[in-house]
Amino acid sequence: QVQLVESGGGLVQAGGSLRLSCAASGRTFSNYAMGWFRQAPGKEREFVAAISSNGNSARYADFVKGRFTISRDNAKNMVYLQMNSLKPEDTAVYYCAADWRLTPTVLTTETDYDYWGQGTQVTVSS
């Protein structure tokens, strides 16, 4: 089992940057596929980015390609989401998610994940 705690959210102007962090508990973090999702007010939660357990593969939603980068540090049990060129439409609560996988896999569907953090608010002003 793993517990996830996100941090790094806040208020930023359009065009600015933020780096979200997700701290994971547990001894086998390197066996977990990790992902970031977001949920804006009145909308369903949506996929943002995901990374395989070994960090060698990543996938992004089309609306963040070229602006966001997901990374992980298995030695520190951390996963990050670097967000650049932020837009007002990026405003949402961002969630970190984890799922144990025997082999390195990139998971992009919400139902693939068993573990979720509490979320961190990102607000982008115009």
Side-chain angles (χ1 to χ4, degrees):
Q1 193 169 3
V2 64
Q3 292 183 327
L4 306 172
V5 179
E6 303 97 332
S7 61
L11 174 64
V12 64
Q13 289 188 334
S17 298
L18 282 175
R19 188 175 84 151
L20 304 183
S21 299
C22 176
S25 65
R27 296 175 294 176
T28 59
F29 177 71
S30 60
N31 291 128
Y32 282 83
M34 301 297 296
W36 287 96
F37 291 74
R38 72 185 187 185
Q39 187 169 21
K43 296 186 177 181
E44 294 186 350
R45 190 153 56 182
E46 62 182 355
F47 168 73
V48 176
I51 191 166
S52 60
S53 57
N54 59 7
N56 288 347
S57 300
R59 289 186 65 183
Y60 298 89
D62 287 343
F63 54 78
V64 303
K65 283 182 180 177
R67 299 190 298 125
F68 292 9
T69 303
I70 188 171
S71 62
R72 65 189 295 160
D73 185 339
N74 284 348
K76 296 182 179 180
N77 283 18
M78 297 290 294
V79 65
Y80 306 99
L81 185 68
Q82 178 66 44
M83 306 187 295
N84 299 328
S85 302
L86 283 161
K87 305 174 181 180
E89 51 263 44
D90 293 319
T91 295
V93 177
Y94 283 72
Y95 297 91
C96 176
D99 197 76
W100 191 92
R101 294 283 163 152
L102 186 61
T103 58
T105 308
V106 178
L107 305 174
T108 62
T109 304
E110 186 175 351
T111 54
D112 286 333
Y113 290 92
D114 282 339
Y115 303 102
W116 293 84
Q118 83 289 350
T120 185
Q121 175 70 47
V122 171
T123 303
V124 184
S125 63
S126 57

